[in-house]
Amino acid sequence: DLPLVLIAGPCVLESRAHALEVSAALKEMSVKLGIGLIYKTSFDKANRTSANAERGLGLKEALPIFAEIRETTGMPVLTDVHLPEQCAMAAEAVDVLQIPAFLCRQTDLLVAAAETGRVVNVKKGQFLAPWDMANVVAKLDAAGNGNVMLTERGASFGYNTLVTDYRGLPVMARTGCPIVFDATHSVQQPGGLGGRSGGQREFVPVLARAAAAVGVAAIFAETHPDPDKAPSDGPNMVPLKALPAMVEDWMAFDALAKARRLVV
Amino acid sequence: DLPLVLIAGPCVLESRAHALEVSAALKEMSVKLGIGLIYKTSFDKANRTSANAERGLGLKEALPIFAEIRETTGMPVLTDVHLPEQCAMAAEAVDVLQIPAFLCRQTDLLVAAAETGRVVNVKKGQFLAPWDMANVVAKLDAAGNGNVMLTERGASFGYNTLVTDYRGLPVMARTGCPIVFDATHSVQQPGGLGGRSGGQREFVPVLARAAAAVGVAAIFAETHPDPDKAPSDGPNMVPLKALPAMVEDWMAFDALAKARRLVV
Amino acid sequence: DLPLVLIAGPCVLESRAHALEVSAALKEMSVKLGIGLIYKTSFDKANRTSANAERGLGLKEALPIFAEIRETTGMPVLTDVHLPEQCAMAAEAVDVLQIPAFLCRQTDLLVAAAETGRVVNVKKGQFLAPWDMANVVAKLDAAGNGNVMLTERGASFGYNTLVTDYRGLPVMARTGCPIVFDATHSVQQPGGLGGRSGGQREFVPVLARAAAAVGVAAIFAETHPDPDKAPSDGPNMVPLKALPAMVEDWMAFDALAKARRLVV
Amino acid sequence: DLPLVLIAGPCVLESRAHALEVSAALKEMSVKLGIGLIYKTSFDKANRTSANAERGLGLKEALPIFAEIRETTGMPVLTDVHLPEQCAMAAEAVDVLQIPAFLCRQTDLLVAAAETGRVVNVKKGQFLAPWDMANVVAKLDAAGNGNVMLTERGASFGYNTLVTDYRGLPVMARTGCPIVFDATHSVQQPGGLGGRSGGQREFVPVLARAAAAVGVAAIFAETHPDPDKAPSDGPNMVPLKALPAMVEDWMAFDALAKARRLVV
């Protein structure tokens, strides 16, 4: 029952300058609040709604920037991988490989990620029941990697809408893996704006607080200095300035939750 | 931002003796924990899955017992009504009239309940969006009653399953009504056992705690000295002995939530 | 495997003149197309989204008009009932008592309808699985009435949306009851327009044809000379002029379906 | 409005002998019934529920067998691809590249498939609304390939369950692409058997007939000489012997549907 960790960063790596600015600001916040922070950033948005949408710098250009963030800030870095061949390369510069929700059952990707020995964070597919994630953990285990985190990010609920089922948190915790609550994608409205996804940023504090109260190892929250100008996930990212008050709130509920542990 | 209230009691009024025993135990608990308590009990289970299922004592036999509970314990009493003509009669002996979820859009029932002047607690239909409840509140308002509470008890999610959408709590709170979280029926599995409904009692503490953290006026939790022998809702009722520890937990999260109010 | 029957009429009984005009037009259509027709009309819209919405003439005023429609056209009449005490009275003037979807588990209403000896048509609740309707049939059976029809009208699918699960048709048919497909309410968007429900009239021909192909006893389609001016269900009613071509289409698919019976 | 095409074959390429036997039987059936047939087979099951599940022969071993099936039977061959680098290789030996539902938004895979110039069949993700597939078609179009088919295979409906929304067929048809109905995966119960997926084979004739009635370009139905012994999708595959009667049924409904075209 370690204290809550925060996984935060902008949705996508926009540029070296942007990444260094945001990561420095997050480092400062993490020190001030006394919370462990993993810096999240994507080198590629491989499944955008539209082909015209921006995708990111690509893995090769991103690797030295990932390394620089780690060195400058001392924070671990998490990035998502989309193809088996990206895993080994990404693993050189990051601490956590994240498997996107749509890809959470792609055996080759899971195995390649597992074989790097890095921590693997798998997002539960919007189409999966919480108990189905035990099969995903078993795949990673069979590939020799037991350092697995599982992330809740909403389940399909009709069209263009997700719902968070909090029963899923203790159900997934039965695997023994640390559980992450992704507050950013849980409030996404997939395809909700026609050619791109919408989001309900105003519910990030609500859903994340509920997750902290139920008890999670980490909260994942994407953030940006100016979300409405961000190339992706703007409607559901939290403004950088608004984040510290939220994190304090989550830490307060986390402390209470871990003092009064729920066993289900 | 008043402190959390508990609405508790056995699902159905089984007998005078049973009701007096359970209400006395709940009264004692409420004093010990320092929480306001509304005693919940049903004189009729009007929509059981099966026609053979027990239904309760009926309104006429129940009224004097309701009155006796009020007198003996000093606690307000809540009961659910199913037909317009029951409202005035029930209002003589209870403090809160509850509208069942399936009936939350039946105009005549809402109007009859409103006209008693009693507090009306409407359960959100499993088939309704949270924002649709504003229309229900407007119906009651038009009938001259502004003392309305709204209760979240889960939304249909595929077959024989409900899911709780915590965005619904602040959405319904925009009506200005106190919001209740029904921890018992939110873990119901409607029709899940073929001829009767199933339930997942083990998730009551999880979902209720999340609701307390988000911020609610009251938590509704049915309880029974021996739920597995109860005539209805046994699989989702909490044993009377297990309730005090849960309530203490909810009070702790309520206190924190009300000290750090979320505005959405 | 009798040929397809049509249940049609305007959503609500607007006036004697309106009812006689529409029922005469439908009678003419039924003769021309050679299809049996049951005239559907409501004396009360008891669960409108908003309290300000029109409700209909009421049972007392409606009864002589129901009788007149029966006499003038020779067609059987169907109406929906909302309270137990309406059943016996309505049964004097109509052939089929319909139980609304929200009320499909209200035991007293089911029993009162059953006891009239009239055919009872129960709409499956949006919150029920198809197999759960066997319990409803058993309730009616226990009350001594085996003349039961079951109607599919969509299941809750996220918020403000319904989906039709065609597996439900053969599943409900296992009860031995004739199955009706309600093409009007299956394309409803409950609460979809804020203070009232929306609808997708354009999908009526699609969903009804699929139902005819799978095999049903009857199709239910509300119709109106000018749906956009109708007091309720306008967005999902079919214009009276457009109905004959649709019915011909459904009859063609029905004939093929009944020549090639599916057994599931 | 060309006549219905059948896409059929066993879920996975088990061996050369097995493939030649099944494809010969299907060829014979297609000639006897007068229906165009595309032979479906997978060289790899890349997203099995469990890591222990069998996966198939792999692309290299499969390619000469694909070529042999084409030559022996004259039938076009369809296979699914999971990674961008498989597309060009698979395109040498098959006529249609299929994009699995989980991967329907992976831009690199879509582009690589498009660039082969082969027909691309994209399965709609269980997590997508039908109108969201227009964005997928635009991605393929931008990559220079307009030969696109879209396949309906069910939408997430609660846990471990899918539902087919027939409104999706005309909605997807607005893209101008031929629409395929996948009768096999629409009756899948994802993860429904714990370590593997379940299925409801008995509903294949129901759902496929409804699709033919609404109007589709092709029906996709996996088949196997002995489904209960098949390495994957056994519970939802149709026995080879039972297929011809079903196909005749679908052809009858297709002929009627295309004689009476629905425009939505």
Side-chain angles (χ1 to χ4, degrees):
Chain A
D1 276 355
L2 299 167
L4 186 74
V5 166
L6 184 68
I7 304 176
C11 182
V12 61
L13 177 53
E14 299 181 22
S15 70
R16 176 177 169 275
H18 188 262
L20 293 178
E21 178 204 328
V22 178
S23 60
L26 286 172
K27 173 67 186 182
E28 197 189 315
M29 183 194 77
S30 86
V31 172
K32 200 174 285 175
L33 299 179
I35 187 168
L37 204 147
I38 300 173
Y39 187 76
K40 187 268 166 175
T41 185
S42 294
F43 59 84
D44 183 20
K45 305 308 294 176
N47 60 23
R48 298 297 301 267
T49 304
S50 154
N52 302 324
E54 282 182 52
R55 294 189 44 171
L57 289 186
L59 183 51
K60 266 190 201 157
E61 285 210 46
L63 283 178
I65 306 177
F66 290 165
E68 194 174 352
I69 294 168
R70 267 168 142 185
E71 277 176 31
T72 328
T73 66
M75 298 191 296
V77 170
L78 169 154
T79 201
D80 39 348
V81 286
H82 316 280
L83 294 170
E85 68 261 30
Q86 297 169 340
C87 295
M89 225 198 301
E92 289 171 32
V94 305
D95 306 86
V96 184
L97 294 178
Q98 180 170 286
I99 307 294
F102 293 157
L103 304 181
C104 72
R105 284 185 41 162
Q106 303 302 316
T107 307
D108 290 334
L109 180 61
L110 291 168
V111 170
E115 288 176 347
T116 65
R118 292 294 183 192
V119 176
V120 181
N121 178 29
V122 191
K123 291 195 167 188
K124 185 180 83 61
Q126 300 88 334
F127 44 82
L128 274 192
W131 45 87
D132 293 330
M133 290 302 283
N135 294 310
V136 171
V137 174
K139 280 189 190 179
L140 292 161
D141 222 42
N145 192 331
N147 286 321
V148 178
M149 307 194 297
L150 300 179
T151 296
E152 167 62 39
R153 50 92 76 235
S156 290
F157 182 61
Y159 292 136
N160 303 313
T161 311
L162 300 170
V163 70
T164 303
D165 182 357
Y166 286 83
R167 292 171 296 192
L169 301 177
V171 169
M172 291 199 291
R174 287 176 198 152
T175 59
C177 299
I179 304 302
V180 182
F181 178 69
D182 176 348
T184 302
H185 295 92
S186 295
V187 301
Q188 194 185 41
Q189 297 181 305
L193 300 175
R196 60 206 170 87
S197 289
Q200 298 179 302
R201 189 189 295 155
E202 67 273 25
F203 290 119
V204 167
V206 177
L207 299 191
R209 187 198 267 191
V214 171
V216 290
I219 288 179
F220 175 114
E222 291 182 354
T223 185
H224 193 276
D226 188 358
D228 293 332
K229 292 198 181 131
S232 69
D233 272 322
N236 36 335
M237 275 200 284
V238 165
L240 195 47
K241 279 191 186 160
L243 189 62
M246 290 185 200
V247 174
E248 270 189 301
D249 191 73
W250 304 336
M251 290 171 76
F253 281 89
D254 176 67
L256 186 57
K258 286 176 184 159
R260 312 182 56 92
R261 206 180 168 215
L262 270 182
V263 182
V264 184
Chain B
D1 276 354
L2 300 166
L4 187 73
V5 167
L6 184 67
I7 304 175
C11 182
V12 64
L13 178 52
E14 299 180 22
S15 70
R16 177 178 169 275
H18 188 261
L20 292 178
E21 177 203 330
V22 179
S23 60
L26 285 172
K27 173 69 185 182
E28 196 188 317
M29 183 193 79
S30 86
V31 171
K32 200 175 285 175
L33 299 179
I35 188 168
L37 203 146
I38 300 173
Y39 186 76
K40 189 268 166 173
T41 183
S42 294
F43 59 84
D44 183 19
K45 305 309 295 175
N47 59 24
R48 298 297 302 268
T49 303
S50 155
N52 303 325
E54 281 182 53
R55 291 190 47 169
L57 289 187
L59 182 51
K60 266 189 206 159
E61 286 209 46
L63 284 178
I65 307 176
F66 291 165
E68 193 174 354
I69 294 168
R70 265 167 142 189
E71 277 176 29
T72 331
T73 66
M75 296 192 295
V77 170
L78 171 152
T79 200
D80 39 349
V81 286
H82 316 280
L83 294 170
E85 68 260 28
Q86 296 170 339
C87 295
M89 222 197 305
E92 288 170 34
V94 307
D95 305 86
V96 184
L97 294 178
Q98 179 169 287
I99 308 295
F102 293 158
L103 305 180
C104 71
R105 282 183 45 158
Q106 302 301 315
T107 306
D108 290 335
L109 181 60
L110 290 168
V111 169
E115 288 176 347
T116 64
R118 292 292 184 195
V119 175
V120 181
N121 179 28
V122 192
K123 293 196 165 186
K124 186 180 83 59
Q126 301 85 336
F127 44 82
L128 275 192
W131 44 86
D132 293 331
M133 291 301 281
N135 295 310
V136 172
V137 174
K139 281 190 190 178
L140 292 162
D141 222 43
N145 192 330
N147 285 322
V148 178
M149 305 194 298
L150 300 179
T151 295
E152 167 63 36
R153 49 90 78 236
S156 290
F157 183 61
Y159 293 135
N160 303 315
T161 311
L162 299 170
V163 70
T164 302
D165 181 359
Y166 285 83
R167 292 172 298 192
L169 301 177
V171 168
M172 291 199 290
R174 287 176 198 154
T175 60
C177 299
I179 304 303
V180 182
F181 179 70
D182 175 347
T184 302
H185 295 93
S186 295
V187 303
Q188 194 185 41
Q189 297 180 306
L193 300 176
R196 59 202 170 92
S197 290
Q200 299 178 302
R201 188 188 297 155
E202 68 274 24
F203 291 119
V204 167
V206 177
L207 297 191
R209 185 198 267 192
V214 170
V216 289
I219 287 177
F220 175 114
E222 291 182 354
T223 184
H224 194 276
D226 189 357
D228 294 332
K229 293 199 182 131
S232 68
D233 273 322
N236 35 336
M237 274 199 286
V238 164
L240 196 49
K241 278 194 187 157
L243 189 62
M246 289 183 201
V247 175
E248 271 190 299
D249 191 74
W250 305 335
M251 291 172 75
F253 281 88
D254 175 67
L256 185 57
K258 285 174 185 161
R260 317 182 52 93
R261 208 184 165 211
L262 267 182
V263 182
V264 182
Chain C
D1 277 353
L2 299 167
L4 187 74
V5 167
L6 185 67
I7 304 175
C11 182
V12 64
L13 177 53
E14 300 180 22
S15 70
R16 177 179 169 272
H18 188 263
L20 293 178
E21 179 204 326
V22 178
S23 61
L26 285 171
K27 173 67 185 182
E28 199 190 314
M29 185 193 77
S30 86
V31 172
K32 200 173 284 174
L33 299 179
I35 187 168
L37 204 146
I38 299 172
Y39 186 76
K40 187 266 165 171
T41 184
S42 295
F43 59 84
D44 183 19
K45 306 306 296 175
N47 60 23
R48 298 297 301 268
T49 304
S50 156
N52 303 324
E54 284 182 52
R55 293 190 44 171
L57 289 187
L59 183 50
K60 267 191 201 158
E61 284 209 46
L63 283 178
I65 307 177
F66 291 165
E68 194 175 351
I69 295 168
R70 266 168 142 189
E71 278 176 31
T72 331
T73 65
M75 297 190 296
V77 170
L78 169 154
T79 201
D80 38 349
V81 286
H82 315 281
L83 294 171
E85 67 260 31
Q86 297 170 338
C87 293
M89 224 198 302
E92 288 170 33
V94 306
D95 305 87
V96 184
L97 293 178
Q98 180 169 287
I99 308 295
F102 292 157
L103 305 181
C104 71
R105 284 185 41 163
Q106 301 303 315
T107 307
D108 291 333
L109 181 61
L110 291 166
V111 169
E115 288 176 347
T116 65
R118 293 293 184 193
V119 175
V120 181
N121 179 28
V122 191
K123 292 195 166 188
K124 184 180 84 59
Q126 300 88 335
F127 44 82
L128 274 192
W131 44 87
D132 293 331
M133 291 301 283
N135 294 312
V136 171
V137 175
K139 281 190 189 177
L140 292 161
D141 223 42
N145 193 330
N147 286 322
V148 179
M149 306 195 295
L150 300 179
T151 296
E152 167 63 37
R153 50 91 78 237
S156 290
F157 183 62
Y159 292 136
N160 303 311
T161 310
L162 301 170
V163 69
T164 304
D165 181 357
Y166 286 83
R167 291 171 298 192
L169 301 177
V171 168
M172 290 199 291
R174 286 175 199 154
T175 59
C177 299
I179 304 302
V180 182
F181 178 70
D182 176 348
T184 303
H185 295 94
S186 295
V187 302
Q188 194 185 42
Q189 297 181 305
L193 300 176
R196 59 205 171 89
S197 288
Q200 300 178 303
R201 188 189 296 155
E202 67 273 24
F203 290 119
V204 167
V206 176
L207 298 191
R209 187 198 267 191
V214 170
V216 289
I219 287 177
F220 175 113
E222 291 182 353
T223 184
H224 193 276
D226 188 358
D228 293 332
K229 293 197 183 132
S232 70
D233 271 324
N236 36 334
M237 274 200 285
V238 164
L240 195 49
K241 280 194 184 158
L243 188 63
M246 288 184 200
V247 175
E248 271 191 299
D249 191 73
W250 303 336
M251 292 171 74
F253 280 88
D254 176 66
L256 185 58
K258 285 175 185 160
R260 314 182 55 93
R261 205 180 169 216
L262 269 182
V263 182
V264 182
Chain D
D1 277 354
L2 299 167
L4 187 73
V5 167
L6 185 68
I7 304 176
C11 181
V12 63
L13 177 54
E14 300 180 21
S15 70
R16 178 178 167 273
H18 187 263
L20 292 177
E21 179 204 326
V22 179
S23 60
L26 286 172
K27 173 69 184 180
E28 198 189 313
M29 184 194 76
S30 87
V31 171
K32 200 175 284 175
L33 299 179
I35 188 169
L37 204 147
I38 300 173
Y39 186 77
K40 188 269 165 170
T41 184
S42 294
F43 60 83
D44 183 19
K45 306 308 295 175
N47 59 25
R48 298 298 301 268
T49 303
S50 154
N52 303 325
E54 282 182 52
R55 293 190 45 171
L57 288 186
L59 182 51
K60 266 191 203 157
E61 285 210 47
L63 283 178
I65 307 176
F66 290 166
E68 193 173 352
I69 294 169
R70 265 166 143 189
E71 277 177 28
T72 329
T73 66
M75 297 192 296
V77 170
L78 170 152
T79 200
D80 40 347
V81 286
H82 316 280
L83 294 171
E85 68 260 29
Q86 296 170 338
C87 294
M89 225 198 301
E92 288 171 32
V94 306
D95 305 86
V96 184
L97 294 178
Q98 179 168 287
I99 308 294
F102 292 157
L103 304 181
C104 72
R105 283 185 44 160
Q106 302 301 316
T107 307
D108 290 335
L109 180 61
L110 291 167
V111 169
E115 288 177 346
T116 65
R118 292 294 183 194
V119 176
V120 181
N121 179 29
V122 191
K123 293 196 165 185
K124 185 179 84 59
Q126 301 87 333
F127 44 83
L128 274 192
W131 45 86
D132 292 331
M133 290 302 282
N135 294 311
V136 171
V137 174
K139 280 189 190 179
L140 292 161
D141 223 43
N145 192 331
N147 288 319
V148 178
M149 306 195 297
L150 300 179
T151 295
E152 168 62 38
R153 49 92 79 234
S156 291
F157 183 61
Y159 293 135
N160 302 313
T161 311
L162 300 170
V163 68
T164 303
D165 182 358
Y166 286 83
R167 293 172 296 192
L169 301 177
V171 168
M172 290 200 290
R174 288 177 196 151
T175 60
C177 299
I179 304 302
V180 182
F181 178 70
D182 176 347
T184 302
H185 296 92
S186 295
V187 301
Q188 194 184 41
Q189 297 180 306
L193 301 176
R196 60 205 170 89
S197 290
Q200 299 178 301
R201 190 189 294 156
E202 66 274 24
F203 290 119
V204 167
V206 176
L207 297 191
R209 187 198 266 192
V214 170
V216 288
I219 287 176
F220 175 112
E222 291 182 353
T223 185
H224 192 277
D226 189 357
D228 293 332
K229 292 196 182 135
S232 69
D233 272 322
N236 36 335
M237 275 201 284
V238 164
L240 196 48
K241 278 194 185 157
L243 188 62
M246 290 185 200
V247 175
E248 270 190 300
D249 190 74
W250 304 337
M251 290 171 75
F253 280 88
D254 176 67
L256 185 58
K258 285 175 184 160
R260 314 183 54 94
R261 206 184 169 211
L262 269 182
V263 182
V264 182

